[in-house]
Amino acid sequence: MDLSMKKVFFFLPLLTSFFLFGEAPSEPISKIQIVYLMQAEEFDKALTLYTQYKKEIGHHDFEVLSQLAQIILDQDAKSTDPERQLLSIFGAGIGGITSSFDLLTNTIVSRNPQVQMASIQILSEMQDDRADEILTKAMASDFFPIRMEAAFQLSSRKHRKACGYIESLMYKLPPQMRFLFPQFFALIGTKEAISLLKHMMGDKEMSTRIEATLNAAKFGRDDLLPIIRAKATHLNIPEQEASASALGFLKDSKSIPKLKMLAKSPASNVKLAALRSLHLLGDTSFDQEIIEMAKTNDIFAIASLGSINDSEEVLLELLRSKDLQVKFNAAIALLEKKDRRCLSALLEILVRDMSDIAFFPTQSIGRSLSAWKVIPSAKHHLKEYPYDIYSVSLSFREHVLKSSMQLNENDFLILAEHIFESKQTELVPLLVRLLENLQTPKAIKLLQNKAQKAGAPLIRTYCTLGCFRLKQEGGYENALKEWIAQQKNNEMIRFKEALPFDIRLKDTSFELTPDDSARLLIESYQALSDRHEEECIDILIKALQGGNPKNRCVIAGLILKSTT
């Protein structure tokens, strides 16, 4: 048989199929080919081929989708572009993946400090020895804040080598900076760490001695009480204050006579620290003296009244003060008491023009007493503070909003209504979540009403999202999908500045947080992906294929979450 006849026999099945069915049969699409195209960064071709593959098999292939999403994250993590690295970390965080150690190994050595900080954030959520190994690499960072954040995380995890790493870092710094380290050793709590903490209580630098004393008390180191008792009689005023407070924190009843003596101190900070410790030890006979100090507009005394009985009337009087420091600290103390009469002042805190006023934590000279400082005309004082005062203020206002849930529901809903009506958009994401958590008919009704609000698209869409997450009827799913379709080409990620560990409030943690509109789009996609429905995954794939390239990592993270 000659060559031409062989060709005829070879193509005969194809020709027969063509004449019978009108087209030549196609070979099954290979999953390997889809993955190869994605690895070659041929995103559109890979996704087009996957769409054809899905039609061929009749359903989504979660294994292939997970591979594609992981490839996108890994490629951006290996990039030299800090923005792409940051987006890959954020996407990995959304995906909730615990297998991206290669990704984090690359980003933890980035030359960009924000990328390194974001890597630490993800690692802090992983309970794995490999995460510890990567965290130790951050201790060699060129950026001091990164080393301190890594030290904090290693201390929190009580890593077996944490003490050595942190001690080594401490001795590389000037003695004046050692006051930053006692908290780490107290947190680690090993014999070696406590020995170092004890040594620091006798350091040459007063600031270091104070921090060592306060952290020993904070972490319940009553084995160090003899040293603290001795310090209480030192002539140094800041140390007297710190020691007086520490004795109360440790509930040292043997020190009551000493505290009564310190309660007569001419230094108001020492006196207040001693009075507060006596209260903590159960002696309420001195409470009236704290109240009298508050009447003199001592903001540290005012802040202390939140735990003092029968102080409500004094706080109400202070609430009328024209001094904003006095007024707002009194309001926070009343809120601590769950007294609804602080409502009007809380509205002033929550509903404000943040370019006009800001809030910043302030401490006494012995660092054991704290209150809130009000900064008027904040935009003119930005350079006076080491941190972004607007980020600190927002953290404080979010803390106040969360604490307001301790009031009765009607009072909380009054605050919520004012926040919506005054368009305090920076508080809306948290507020919607809080209303969802309430899940009461009144809270749901408020969300439904605001989902129809004209002239406030961000509020309207956030409330639509809240209703969708609560599975309310009323077309919220379709409205959300329509809004997402309109936003598909918008850049999704613009990050806010995060606060370092030493200035965060107790109910906050480090978080890589997008701004309000970006956060809304991400949460909307996330709400759809949580349904794990075919149609929702289709929406994510369309967003990945035809949307803004800068959004790929976020979508990849959401796909991972939906498919695992």
Side-chain angles (χ1 to χ4, degrees), residues 82-204:
E83 184 180 21
R84 288 183 64 184
Q85 290 182 323
L86 201 59
L87 291 170
S88 72
I89 297 165
F90 188 70
I94 289 175
I97 50 175
T98 57
S99 58
S100 291
F101 292 103
D102 289 341
L103 182 154
L104 294 166
T105 299
N106 286 316
T107 55
I108 201 69
V109 294
S110 168
R111 294 181 180 180
N112 184 282
Q114 193 179 13
V115 172
Q116 291 185 13
M117 189 71 83
S119 303
I120 293 173
Q121 173 198 344
I122 302 299
L123 289 164
S124 69
E125 298 168 3
M126 296 180 177
Q127 299 303 317
D128 191 292
D129 289 343
R130 287 174 294 176
D132 291 350
E133 290 174 15
I134 302 173
L135 277 172
T136 59
K137 291 184 179 181
M139 291 297 296
S141 171
D142 293 334
F143 306 102
F144 178 67
I146 304 303
R147 292 189 181 192
M148 294 300 286
E149 186 71 36
F152 175 67
Q153 295 299 339
L154 288 171
S155 301
S156 300
R157 298 161 84 95
K158 302 187 186 302
H159 187 274
R160 57 189 177 84
K161 293 185 178 179
C163 194
Y165 281 123
I166 295 168
E167 183 184 11
S168 175
L169 174 60
M170 181 177 70
Y171 285 120
K172 290 177 182 176
L173 298 171
Q176 295 85 351
M177 296 186 69
R178 287 181 190 165
F179 74 94
L180 294 168
F181 292 86
Q183 59 187 314
F184 300 141
F185 299 126
L187 187 56
I188 295 167
T190 60
K191 185 176 180 180
E192 179 187 4
I194 297 306
S195 175
L196 284 163
L197 181 65
K198 182 178 179 181
H199 179 74
M200 296 179 85
M201 292 174 76
D203 195 90
K204 291 181 179 180

Side-chain angles (χ1 to χ4, degrees), residues 33-34 83 128 252 282 311 367 411 435 452 463 467 486 491 513 538 558:
Q33 188 179 3
I34 299 170
E83 184 180 21
D128 191 292
D252 182 31
S311 61
R367 296 182 61 81
D411 290 332
L435 290 169
Q452 307 299 322
C463 291
C467 292
Q486 295 168 3
E491 184 180 342
T513 308
D538 287 339
L558 291 168

Side-chain angles (χ1 to χ4, degrees), residues 268-543:
S268 61
N269 60 313
V270 175
K271 179 179 180 179
L272 179 58
L275 291 171
R276 194 178 62 169
S277 288
L278 288 167
H279 174 83
L280 291 173
L281 284 162
D283 189 342
T284 59
S285 62
F286 293 90
D287 287 0
Q288 188 58 39
E289 292 193 44
I290 299 178
I291 292 173
E292 292 302 320
M293 290 184 73
K295 288 180 180 179
T296 66
N297 292 346
D298 184 320
I299 60 172
F300 298 116
I302 294 169
S304 299
L305 292 187
S307 59
I308 302 296
N309 294 330
D310 302 321
S311 61
E312 289 83 355
E313 296 307 315
V314 173
L315 286 170
L316 283 172
E317 184 64 32
L318 294 167
L319 210 55
R320 301 185 188 100
S321 173
K322 293 182 179 179
D323 185 335
L324 294 180
Q325 321 281 347
V326 172
K327 180 178 183 176
F328 290 145
N329 278 288
I332 299 305
L334 276 173
L335 177 58
E336 191 177 336
K337 289 175 167 292
K338 304 178 186 178
D339 191 318
R340 71 176 308 274
R341 291 175 291 182
C342 66
L343 206 58
S344 61
L346 294 185
L347 281 171
E348 290 188 56
I349 292 172
L350 295 171
V351 181
R352 296 205 68 90
D353 175 3
M354 290 311 294
S355 64
D356 172 54
I357 194 169
F359 302 90
F360 204 83
T362 184
Q363 292 179 312
S364 56
I365 58 173
R367 296 182 61 81
S368 72
L369 306 170
S370 60
W372 284 95
K373 181 179 180 180
V374 181
I375 308 169
S377 302
K379 61 185 177 183
H380 300 300
H381 298 280
L382 295 176
K383 294 181 180 179
E384 298 175 17
Y385 293 87
Y387 308 116
D388 176 10
I389 58 177
Y390 291 135
S391 295
V392 176
S393 294
L394 178 57
S395 177
F396 166 68
R397 292 168 72 224
E398 288 179 334
H399 171 74
V400 170
L401 182 56
K402 288 178 190 175
S403 300
S404 299
M405 289 192 76
Q406 300 174 56
L407 302 173
N408 67 56
E409 183 186 355
N410 288 337
D411 290 332
F412 179 73
L413 293 179
I414 288 172
L415 291 173
E417 178 71 39
H418 277 80
I419 289 169
F420 283 135
E421 286 304 308
S422 60
K423 299 180 182 178
Q424 302 290 311
T425 54
E426 69 279 4
L427 293 176
V428 167
L430 173 61
L431 177 58
V432 169
R433 278 294 190 183
L434 295 176
L435 290 169
E436 288 178 52
N437 291 340
L438 275 178
Q439 292 191 34
T440 61
K442 289 182 180 179
I444 293 171
K445 185 66 175 175
L446 180 60
L447 285 172
Q448 290 173 331
N449 288 341
K450 299 306 175 184
Q452 307 299 322
K453 183 176 175 62
L458 187 134
I459 291 173
R460 184 172 63 247
T461 310
Y462 253 115
C463 291
T464 298
L465 173 61
C467 292
F468 172 72
R469 286 192 291 225
L470 289 171
K471 299 181 180 178
Q472 296 297 301
E473 296 181 358
Y476 299 111
E477 180 174 351
N478 289 335
L480 197 63
K481 287 177 180 177
E482 288 175 11
W483 182 83
I484 285 173
Q486 295 168 3
Q487 304 296 317
K488 187 174 71 170
N489 292 318
N490 291 347
E491 184 180 342
M492 192 179 292
I493 302 296
R494 294 174 296 277
F495 293 112
K496 295 179 180 178
E497 183 171 339
L499 298 177
F501 71 90
D502 57 333
I503 201 168
R504 294 173 208 151
L505 294 171
K506 290 181 180 179
D507 58 356
T508 61
S509 59
F510 178 88
E511 187 178 2
L512 197 62
T513 308
D515 68 11
D516 303 316
S517 57
R519 185 172 173 181
L520 173 56
L521 186 54
I522 292 167
E523 288 192 30
S524 298
Y525 274 121
Q526 201 158 2
L528 289 174
S529 69
D530 286 345
R531 295 287 176 93
H532 298 278
E533 296 172 356
E534 291 267 324
E535 184 186 357
C536 295
I537 296 175
D538 287 339
I539 290 172
L540 292 174
I541 292 172
K542 286 179 182 177

